[in-house]
Amino acid sequence: AFYSCGVPFLFARLSDDRAVGRARLDAVAAARLLSEAPSSNVFLFANSPVDGFDWHARMFAPGLGVDEDPATGSAAAALAGWLAAQPGQREGSARWRIAQGVEMGRPSSIDLSAEIRDGEAVEVHVGGASVLVAEGRFLHP
């Protein structure tokens, strides 16, 4: 399924967090298979019973020049829409914790919350912690 909160992603729920960890994206095959799709960005996720996380995720967007992203707020926001639409999801406030970037050595913790009404996320909040990995300066002549 494709979900978007500004940037569309192909959402693929895998069997477990180990499957997410083993996943590799064949960029050539993905480009061919997704050439007519709304997006070639791929967001893989599964339930995660590890370290208090609800979900383990990875995001690949080779068409945007991003082999893999350690923390994708736009995908997390769209995940709230997917979660809200799942059978048995309760109405009202919901919270989830997402682990991403683990396999790249840049583990991220994304906090996601949503207000759910009639099976839709009507309000979404994304947050978490970040670590400085680079710094730069622009010089104007």
Side-chain angles (χ1 to χ4, degrees):
F2 286 89
Y3 280 83
S4 176
C5 193
V7 178
F9 294 91
L10 169 60
F11 274 64
R13 183 177 185 180
L14 302 185
S15 59
D16 58 40
D17 63 336
R18 292 181 309 276
V20 172
R22 290 189 309 267
R24 301 292 176 265
L25 183 71
D26 180 333
V28 174
R32 183 175 32 70
L33 292 169
L34 298 172
S35 65
E36 301 291 323
S39 175
S40 62
N41 304 324
V42 179
F43 187 74
L44 306 176
F45 62 103
N47 288 102
S48 177
V50 180
D51 297 328
F53 288 98
D54 301 296
W55 299 96
H56 178 188
R58 295 178 74 186
M59 195 286 286
F60 305 96
L64 297 175
V66 179
D67 291 332
E68 184 170 357
D69 189 31
T72 314
S74 56
L79 179 61
W82 183 89
L83 290 165
Q86 297 311 297
Q89 178 61 52
R90 64 180 171 76
E91 298 284 308
S93 298
R95 298 172 98 50
W96 304 276
R97 196 162 168 237
I98 305 162
Q100 190 177 331
V102 175
E103 291 73 19
M104 1 175 9
R106 294 176 58 191
S108 300
S109 175
I110 302 170
D111 299 313
L112 176 63
S113 63
E115 186 66 28
I116 300 170
R117 290 191 203 119
D118 298 322
E120 292 187 6
V122 295
E123 183 177 324
V124 176
H125 297 269
V126 177
S130 63
V131 176
L132 182 64
V133 295
E135 189 173 321
R137 196 175 285 192
F138 289 101
L139 300 176
H140 186 290

